[in-house]
Each structure stands twice: as C-alpha cells, then as structure tokens.
Amino acid sequence: MSNILEKAQLWLSDTFDTETRQEVQQLINNNTEQLTESFYKNLEFGTGGMRGIMGAGTNRINKYTLGKATQGLANYIKQSFPNKQHKVAIAYDCRHNSQPFAKIVANVLSANNIKVYLFEDMRPTPELSFAVRHLGCDSGIVLTASHNPPEYNGYKVYWNDGGQIIPPDDANIINEVNNLEFSEINFNANENLIEYVGKEVDSAFINASVKNGTFNIQGREKLKIVFTSLHGTSIKSIPYALAQAGYTDVHIVEEQREPNGDFPTVASPNPEEPAALKMATDLANKINADIVIGTDPDSDRIGIAVRNTENKMVLLNGNQTMSVMTDFLIKNWEKEGKLNGKQFVGSTIVSTNLVNEIAKSYGVETKVGLTGFKWIAKMIRDAEGKQDFIGGGEESFGYMVGNFVRDKDAVTATLLACEIAANAKDTNSSFYKELLTIYTQHNFYKEHLIAIVKKGMDGAAQISKIMVELRENPLSEIDGSKVEFLCDYQASTKTNLLTGKIEAINIEKSNVLIYETLDGTKVAARPSGTEPKIKFYFSVNSPLDTIENASKVEIELDAKIQRIIKEMKLS
C-alpha cells in the first residue's frame, strides 16, 4: 500500500493540473480501494490498444496517461521516419470525453512538430484506418473503448499501412512511453499544424466502401432493412453508404439514432448480445423486415439478425456471418474470373474452421493469425505484390472486405450483408438458407463462447492459475473423444498427445491454449487483452444431409457443447 501511496503522491506535484491534484487528494483522503485500483499498475497496450476507466491515476484513462502515450508515440514516429514532415490522423467516437481527449492528443503531436489531421466530429473507427493511407500519414489514433461500459475510454494506435500497431512497433512505443516522466509531455499545441478534416475523407471512404462492398446483383430496392447505430458513430456513414449503393427501404431505430456516451437504451452497446438489438428486432417484426443490422459505438463490429426457416428473427454469431460472407465473396471473385491461386482470406485461431473449409473448396488459402484484426492487416502487408486479399473476419463480430481498410469495418460489412440478403431474396433463397446450404456442403459447425470475469488485483492471478492448470494438466479427452492436439501459442508448440510428436507453431506468441479432438471438436482458452476476463471458445461440428434436418443437428451440437462446459466445470 505504501508503494501505491507514493505513486499517488507524485500526482500532487505541479506537473499535474489543479483538477487532477484535487481528485487524487480526495482518493488519498477518502477512498483506499479506489486509490489502489487507480494506481496499482500502469495502463498497458493490449490486443485493442489502451483501454480503461476514466479518472486520475496511472491505471486510468486521463489527460496524462494519454499525453504520455502520445509523447512516446511522437518520439517513436520521429525515430522511425527520419528527415520528413510527419503526419498523424486522429478520430474519436461518441463516448464521454472522446472529443476533448482527441484534442489533447492533437495538441501533444503538434507540440512535437507533427502535422495532425483531426476529424471535426466523431467518426467510425474503420474510417480512421482508411484515412491513414488516404492522407499519407505515418500513424493514426482513434479514441474509443469500443463496446465497453460508459465509464471507459481508450486509445488505439495505427501505423502507416492503416493497420493497428504490431511487433516490434508496439513494444518499441511502449518502451518509449515507459521511459518518459509525466513532466516530459509537451502539451503546448501548435494550432497551425492541426487541420480539421471531414467531408472530403467521408466521401472518399464511402465511395471505397461501396466499390468494395457491392457486386453485380439484383433486388436491392426489394430488401427491407432495419438499422441501429446503438447511439454510436456509424450513423455518420452507414445510412449514406446504403443509399449510395441503391438500398431504399431502410428503417433506422430512431430511439438509438442519437450518439450518446451513456448508451441509454441498452445495458451494453454490444451487437454480439441479442438484448442490444432487441429494439431493432422488435421494429423488424413490426414492419416485417428481412434483415437487422446493428453496430457497436465505434462501428467496427456488426451484429446481423435474419429470418430463419420458420420466419423468426435470429441473431447470427460472428462465425456464421463470416462464413456466409467469405463464401459469397469468393464465389463472386470466381464469377468475375479473378481466382488464379494467388488469393487468400484471413481468419484467427479462435474463429470457426468452417471458413478454412469454404476457402479450400475454391482453392483459396486461409491465413490464420492471432485474435485481432491487426494480424489480418499484417497478412495483407506481408503478401503485398504476391497475393490478393479477398476478405477476412473473426468470431467476435468483425469483418473486413478488401484491403482499402486495414481493420474490422462494419460500414462495408453492412453493405456486404445486404448484398447477400438482397441477392438471396431475389433468387428465392434467404441469408439463413445460404448459411444452411454451406452447412450441407461442409458440415454444420456450431460455436459457443463463455467469458469468466475476474475483476481487480487478484483477478489477474486467478486467470493465470486457470491457464497454468490447463497447460500443466492437459485434458486427454473431451466429451468422449480423445484430444489429438494441444496447441500452446505461448510456447509456440503443437503437441500430438497421442504420439508425443511436437511441431513448431509459426505465428506470434500469445497466451492461448487450443485443444483439438479426433472428432473435430475445438476448445480454446484465452485471457482477454483488454478486459479482466478469460474466454473459452467451443467449436463442434457434424454432417448435415439436408436443410430440413438443421434444427435436429443443431440441438445435438448444442447439447454436446453444454456437456463439454459441464465436464470442464465451467458452468
């Protein structure tokens, strides 16, 4: 505790403004628990950058932690790209303080003689990724905490290819940041170096979205769409992109149209959760819509609900969505005569293997990386000049079409989802029937995710203990099927538990364990990079002979997943 108090007392010096000093003094005087949470560690870059609760302290998002991150980034940009005028684009979402935080970040960069393109108002995260390359920037920053609760904010850093930072740049930037004192942050803005951007970039981004996300199909005007921005930034782009693409029957959930950092109509603004899309699905049932689309606050994740074979609205999971999208994209590349064996799609280690099977059936490679779109962006960068990127996604409701954006992109994914639905409706099928057809061709894959939250200082220790147990005492059997492979991405080893043979895994290290059984079951354990939780991913599959038997097979697969959860004592 004395160490924490010492750290807090440093924040009472003249380096910090009066408001910050008062807040810290109140924590010292009145709130030991809050003081500990605010100062027991420094906020770190995880898979999604830096994300945390807003407030004073080293473990909080505030003027100084953001300032320090930005000063370190400024130093590193200058080292990485010497002898030039440096440029950085900055965007922000609808959250509390996102706009003032973005201006603080712009001030620090301009104080370091870096030209800043600052969006005039909130914008979707994928537009920032696009803007980095469109404006010829060395880096980009977006102030967002995605779909976290209202008290959170965050900071994501992009490199000159428009992808989020990856090794070695991430570690090098962190090193720069950690070597700084708060007193070394230069907050003295050079306003001449800050240029506000908006409409021109919007127009270029929407044009590129429509170009990449639409195909030679019929029936757009017949598709009835319900759209919700869940109080977020996508209201700035998606309605315009849909209109430009030719979709005229679009119904916006009015109660959720207005951007609002409190997200007043939902418990969580996360389109992965059916509750978040309830107002949209209610509207869809009222007006008999074909498809519901909802996006998270920074418009990188997309949730899609469609009518099943019984005409009921069902929310698809990210694995189902990315499977249908990947199949549709590759099919259209094939129709256009663009497949020549030099194409690939991107996926992640905890996403469904169905995508790999789909791609393989067309002779297209699937590159698999760690969780996070920064790894798919890296695949694109590494393959430039050798292979074409078709599209890529991950189970957590993100998809990216083409290489013009290098992060998950709910704007273009919305267009793609509507193209699939409109084309299906025009040919007497449906989005859902397209999914079931894929299952008859490649097996019915059913995935499930559970997240176990462990908050506070001892939370990290509990999560670590779970991972140690799974590593040191591996499961030998899951639901009666022998475990064939144990993939340890921390150790970079794939061990055949039946033969003892060990192979190297040639992707970046990460604290992830994946069990694969003889019957094709996959169970993955992964501590979150941005939140105090450990996630377990389950994937099971079984042949499906006809669409009519889909419900029966799904019930069997769901029962199998529940048996596994019970067997692993996770329920």
Side-chain angles (χ1 to χ4, degrees):
M1 184 64 208
S2 61
N3 177 34
I4 286 165
L5 190 58
E6 280 167 31
K7 274 175 87 175
Q9 283 166 339
L10 293 174
W11 282 56
L12 301 175
S13 74
D14 290 346
T15 297
F16 301 89
D17 60 29
T18 309
E19 192 184 337
T20 302
R21 295 201 302 265
Q22 285 173 346
E23 190 178 336
V24 172
Q25 189 64 61
Q26 280 186 322
L27 288 175
I28 290 170
N29 295 347
N30 307 321
N31 199 327
T32 309
E33 190 183 331
Q34 278 281 73
L35 180 74
T36 302
E37 286 292 339
S38 299
F39 284 96
Y40 82 91
K41 65 173 183 170
N42 295 336
L43 269 188
E44 295 161 6
F45 282 109
T47 54
M50 191 165 73
R51 208 183 285 181
I53 293 168
M54 292 176 275
T58 57
N59 188 34
R60 292 287 184 259
I61 292 282
N62 53 61
K63 173 181 176 179
Y64 298 97
T65 51
L66 292 173
K68 195 172 171 185
T70 307
Q71 184 64 54
L73 175 63
N75 295 352
Y76 186 66
I77 287 170
K78 290 179 168 183
Q79 292 165 28
S80 302
F81 308 108
N83 308 318
K84 64 170 287 197
Q85 170 63 67
H86 303 103
K87 297 191 280 187
V88 175
I90 303 173
Y92 55 92
D93 71 4
C94 58
R95 288 179 172 272
H96 299 304
N97 301 316
S98 284
Q99 189 168 20
F101 283 160
K103 183 60 169 72
I104 287 164
V105 169
N107 292 348
V108 174
L109 290 169
S110 68
N112 284 274
N113 203 33
I114 292 171
K115 166 85 177 168
V116 175
Y117 296 104
L118 175 60
F119 275 96
E120 64 192 6
D121 196 0
M122 65 184 76
R123 287 296 188 279
T125 288
E127 185 168 349
L128 183 275
S129 171
F130 171 80
V132 169
R133 289 164 72 233
H134 179 69
L135 298 169
C137 295
D138 304 296
S139 179
I141 297 163
V142 63
L143 282 295
T144 179
S146 193
H147 53 266
N148 277 49
E151 64 271 21
Y152 280 77
N153 215 316
Y155 180 91
K156 288 205 285 197
V157 179
Y158 294 76
W159 212 229
N160 63 348
D161 65 335
Q164 283 186 58
I165 52 167
I166 54 167
D169 296 318
D170 54 358
N172 292 342
I173 292 166
I174 290 163
N175 204 27
E176 284 291 330
V177 175
N178 290 343
N179 286 332
L180 285 170
E181 299 297 330
F182 286 106
S183 57
E184 293 175 84
I185 306 165
N186 188 349
F187 286 111
N188 301 315
N190 177 351
E191 295 292 346
N192 296 328
L193 286 176
I194 300 174
E195 181 181 333
Y196 288 89
V197 294
K199 287 189 172 60
E200 186 277 324
V201 181
D202 294 343
S203 177
F205 172 62
I206 288 171
N207 287 344
S209 289
V210 172
K211 185 182 168 206
N212 282 270
T214 60
F215 299 84
N216 184 20
I217 66 144
Q218 305 295 314
R220 292 188 183 103
E221 70 290 343
K222 294 184 209 144
L223 187 73
K224 189 173 276 196
I225 302 162
V226 167
F227 166 67
T228 176
S229 53
L230 295 178
H231 305 291
T233 60
S234 66
I235 200 72
K236 300 281 182 187
S237 303
I238 286 177
Y240 304 102
L242 285 169
Q244 194 167 310
Y247 290 97
T248 51
D249 201 356
V250 179
H251 303 260
I252 295 171
V253 179
E254 291 298 332
E255 301 91 330
Q256 298 175 327
R257 177 197 279 265
E258 202 59 41
N260 186 330
D262 286 322
F263 314 113
T265 63
V266 289
S268 165
N270 183 356
E272 295 178 60
E273 295 169 13
L277 295 187
K278 185 174 186 314
M279 285 178 120
T281 51
D282 284 352
L283 177 59
N285 287 328
K286 189 175 162 187
I287 65 171
N288 198 30
D290 300 298
I291 188 167
V292 165
I293 288 173
T295 55
D296 69 345
D298 68 327
S299 189
D300 58 0
R301 277 183 169 84
I302 180 172
I304 297 169
V306 293
R307 296 199 176 277
N308 66 11
T309 48
E310 285 145 27
N311 206 35
K312 278 172 67 177
M313 271 285 162
V314 288
L315 177 62
L316 301 178
N317 65 42
N319 286 303
Q320 292 171 318
T321 301
M322 73 186 273
S323 297
V324 178
M325 287 180 169
T326 301
D327 186 67
F328 183 84
L329 278 178
I330 302 175
K331 202 177 280 171
N332 274 279
W333 275 60
E334 186 179 56
K335 269 186 205 163
E336 291 165 22
K338 294 198 298 188
L339 292 185
N340 62 2
K342 292 183 178 174
Q343 286 71 39
F344 75 95
V345 295
S347 184
T348 70
I349 56 175
V350 295
S351 297
T352 181
N353 285 358
L354 177 55
V355 164
N356 314 42
E357 295 300 319
I358 290 165
K360 191 163 73 178
S361 72
Y362 292 98
V364 171
E365 182 191 355
T366 303
K367 293 183 192 288
V368 180
L370 297 177
T371 303
F373 268 70
K374 60 186 180 182
W375 301 113
I376 298 179
K378 181 181 187 294
M379 293 168 195
I380 297 171
R381 189 163 64 182
D382 291 348
E384 252 157 357
K386 294 174 282 199
Q387 282 177 294
D388 305 317
F389 174 71
I390 295 175
E394 62 179 7
E395 47 63 50
S396 59
F397 288 59
Y399 205 81
M400 180 163 78
V401 186
N403 65 6
F404 77 105
V405 166
R406 304 291 173 94
D407 201 357
K408 52 184 175 279
D409 172 10
V411 180
T412 317
T414 293
L415 292 176
L416 177 58
C418 292
E419 294 285 282
I420 294 165
N423 183 63
K425 188 175 183 181
D426 192 60
T427 54
N428 295 316
S429 179
S430 70
F431 196 114
Y432 196 78
K433 279 184 191 159
E434 294 300 302
L435 173 65
L436 296 182
T437 302
I438 290 167
Y439 288 157
T440 62
Q441 293 162 343
H442 304 288
N443 274 15
F444 194 137
Y445 278 74
K446 189 75 203 260
E447 279 79 23
H448 186 68
L449 166 69
I450 59 171
I452 298 169
V453 177
K454 303 281 185 186
K455 286 190 175 169
M457 283 172 73
D458 60 338
Q462 289 177 50
I463 288 169
S464 177
K465 191 178 168 200
I466 293 168
M467 292 301 286
V468 167
E469 181 64 26
L470 286 169
R471 267 193 183 91
E472 292 181 358
N473 301 302
L475 304 171
S476 58
E477 207 174 80
I478 296 172
D479 193 42
S481 180
K482 283 192 163 51
V483 174
E484 184 176 17
F485 295 110
L486 173 60
C487 302
D488 186 340
Y489 289 85
Q490 189 97 292
S492 300
T493 55
K494 181 178 184 177
T495 306
N496 186 320
L497 297 185
L498 304 179
T499 66
K501 188 184 170 199
I502 300 175
E503 292 172 51
I505 294 174
N506 293 315
I507 64 173
E508 294 76 5
K509 289 181 185 292
S510 183
N511 188 15
V512 182
L513 277 179
I514 298 182
Y515 290 94
E516 294 174 9
T517 72
L518 287 171
D519 71 357
T521 294
K522 186 165 95 165
V523 177
R526 172 184 163 260
S528 169
T530 50
E531 299 164 280
K533 61 171 70 164
I534 180 167
K535 294 178 178 178
F536 288 89
Y537 304 79
F538 306 90
S539 177
V540 295
N541 70 86
S542 173
L544 176 65
D545 53 357
T546 65
I547 284 176
E548 289 69 34
N549 285 333
S551 297
K552 177 172 165 281
V553 171
E554 185 167 19
I555 289 165
E556 288 164 7
L557 291 173
D558 280 335
K560 184 176 177 69
I561 289 168
Q562 291 310 314
R563 288 197 302 272
I564 294 168
I565 290 170
K566 197 172 175 188
E567 189 179 290
M568 291 180 70
K569 299 185 170 63
L570 298 173
S571 51

